[in-house]
Amino acid sequence: MSMTMKAQPPASEPPWRAALSYFGGVFALGFVLGVARTLFVEAGVSRLLGVALELPVMLAFSAWWCSRLLRQQAVPARVPARLQMGALAFALLMLAELLLSTLLAGRTLAEHLALYRQPSHQLGLAGQLVFGLMPLGLLGWDWVRPGRSC
């Protein structure tokens, strides 16, 4: 009699752990690309074009990093868990942006919020919303299921 063992899927982690890693990875890349965009791209072209060039790279990385974390940390493939992960990561991203704006750039809260009147910041915010919805958007994709490898 032969006994075969099935591979067990990884134990489910709380969505907040994945959210912290998701935020951290995307924020780190965004910080590096943002500095590069400010120093090299915006000097020769408009701020809006600079953000438009950076955004596809950020969203592609966000999708890859999010899918990797969903698998590794076995975030449940359910709407509440995915919403929790995305909402917390989005909140952390917005808080980090606010802190950088106020502490490093010396803006007041009102001045920071006024930036969202500019098309470049509106485009960036749209990308940040997609980032926040990414865990939910990847729900049901076969290549994101826990236990599968890329």
Side-chain angles (χ1 to χ4, degrees):
M1 212 182 201
S2 159
M3 296 181 85
T4 58
M5 298 190 65
K6 276 187 147 181
Q8 295 293 322
S12 179
E13 294 284 336
W16 64 265
R17 277 202 187 140
L20 291 175
S21 296
Y22 181 42
F23 155 74
V26 173
F27 179 76
L29 178 64
F31 188 83
V32 170
L33 290 179
V35 169
R37 173 180 38 85
T38 302
L39 294 176
F40 303 113
V41 178
E42 289 179 10
V45 297
S46 73
R47 174 177 266 265
L48 180 59
L49 182 57
V51 173
L53 293 171
E54 178 185 358
L55 191 57
V57 174
M58 289 299 303
L59 291 178
F61 177 79
S62 294
W64 173 80
W65 185 236
C66 183
S67 66
R68 182 179 172 106
L69 291 168
L70 289 170
R71 279 191 318 278
Q72 285 180 343
Q73 299 193 16
V75 176
R78 293 190 302 273
V79 171
R82 298 295 179 88
L83 280 176
Q84 288 171 14
M85 178 183 168
L88 178 57
F90 176 76
L92 290 170
L93 189 63
M94 298 310 293
L95 179 62
E97 184 173 279
L98 173 64
L99 290 173
L100 286 174
S101 183
T102 56
L103 298 178
L104 290 183
R107 294 184 186 99
T108 65
L109 176 60
E111 290 170 335
H112 172 73
L113 294 175
L115 292 173
Y116 293 107
R117 292 187 196 129
Q118 299 173 11
S120 61
H121 286 273
Q122 292 170 354
L123 182 59
L125 180 59
Q128 291 165 328
L129 288 167
V130 172
F131 158 84
L133 292 170
M134 191 77 66
L136 182 62
L138 294 175
L139 188 63
W141 287 58
D142 189 47
W143 51 275
V144 177
R145 295 216 174 98
R148 293 188 48 108
S149 60
C150 272

